[in-house]
Structures are given as C-alpha cells and as structure tokens.
Amino acid sequence: MSALPQALPRYRPMRTTDLDAVVAIEDDIYTHPWTLGNFRDSLAAGYSCWVLECGGVLWGYGVLMMGVDEAHLLNLSIARTRQRAGLGRQLLEFFVGRAREMGAQVMFLEVRPSNTAGRGLYASAGFREMAVRKNYYPADRGREDAILMGRDL
C-alpha cells in the first residue's frame, strides 16, 4: 500500500483556461463538436459550467442553463479514456444536484437517437422521453433528430 494519497475526482467551475482541454475532449468524442466559441459564449452568458478533474487532469465537463424554475443540460461529456467507468453518471448526478440548488423543478436535455449509451444513462437516471425535435443536430448526411428528455427534480 502506498503512503501517498490517491487523487480523487473533484468538481469545480469551468475557467477560460480550461477551454483548450475541454475542446480537445469535445473534438475527440463527437463528430460534430461544440466549438471553442460555444464554450466561451456559455461562460460569458453565466451558464453553470463545471469540470470534473483528477490530479489536475480534466476528465469531463458539462454546461447547464437555468430558466425560472427549470434547468436545461446543454452538454455533458467524459473524455474517451475515462468513459464506461461511471463518471458520466456521477457528473449527471452532480448537475441534477446543481439544478435543484438553483431552484429548478424540472430538468431537460436533448440526446441523439443514435447515442444509445447516453439514452440509457439518462433513462436510468429518471429522465423520460417527451418529444422529438426534428432535424436538430448536424449529421454526416444532413441532420439528425433529437430526443427531448426530462425529469422532475
């Protein structure tokens, strides 16, 4: 057993100095990623932007937009090398908690129909399919629909 403490994952507000690492993850895991400008705009708009890091290395991030009594999860992402380890669920639960703390009564998100892992994660966390937004996402061949999901908080 090592005498040195093991670094534990922690959450902290996203900073502009994180954006290069955030965009690197985004570019690696998505065919149509958010741009640096999307993240800058989210920070400038005052959205609830957080990162998940361990030992100074960024493992994931998310962006939450608040309305009067509702929250909209705009982005939730985990680095490819850290996926399938439960971190997406932990980050989602963190954002559900943040939304509650900020007074939201309901939380919404969109997910691609082709994102079966994401759909499964959200459904297992209590999100239900509510509607389909036609031609919402850019895709390799035109546009892809989005499934609008929501849950009460």
Side-chain angles (χ1 to χ4, degrees):
M1 182 156 98
S2 172
L4 297 175
Q6 183 75 346
L8 296 174
R10 72 178 185 110
Y11 304 97
R12 65 167 174 77
M14 186 184 291
R15 303 183 291 245
T16 56
T17 55
D18 296 317
L19 293 183
D20 287 342
V22 166
V23 170
I25 291 171
E26 188 81 2
D27 287 345
D28 182 51
I29 63 175
Y30 295 115
T31 58
H32 295 85
W34 275 28
T35 66
L36 176 63
N38 294 134
F39 289 105
R40 279 191 181 139
D41 290 348
S42 295
L43 286 170
Y47 295 168
S48 186
C49 305
W50 290 77
V51 299
L52 171 62
E53 68 175 6
C54 187
V57 177
L58 199 134
W59 285 2
Y61 51 88
V63 176
L64 184 71
M65 179 179 69
M66 291 298 299
V68 174
D69 62 352
E70 61 187 47
H72 194 142
L73 187 62
L74 302 176
N75 192 316
L76 183 83
S77 301
I78 299 294
R80 186 179 307 278
T81 59
R82 298 296 175 186
Q83 291 178 356
R84 307 275 186 229
L87 294 173
R89 179 173 306 284
Q90 290 175 26
L91 188 56
L92 177 59
E93 290 172 3
F94 171 81
F95 275 103
V96 166
R98 292 284 306 151
R100 280 187 185 124
E101 289 171 8
M102 297 168 75
Q105 301 296 311
V106 64
M107 187 170 180
F108 299 104
L109 59 86
E110 287 89 12
V111 61
R112 290 176 184 265
S114 61
N115 183 352
T116 55
R119 289 173 62 194
L121 169 65
Y122 301 135
S124 70
F127 286 84
R128 65 189 185 290
E129 294 185 9
M130 302 176 70
V132 173
R133 297 187 193 274
K134 294 288 186 189
N135 301 315
Y136 187 82
Y137 291 111
D140 289 337
R141 294 185 179 183
R143 309 286 297 177
E144 184 175 2
D145 294 344
I147 298 172
L148 175 65
M149 300 183 80
R151 71 167 269 190
D152 293 331
L153 300 177

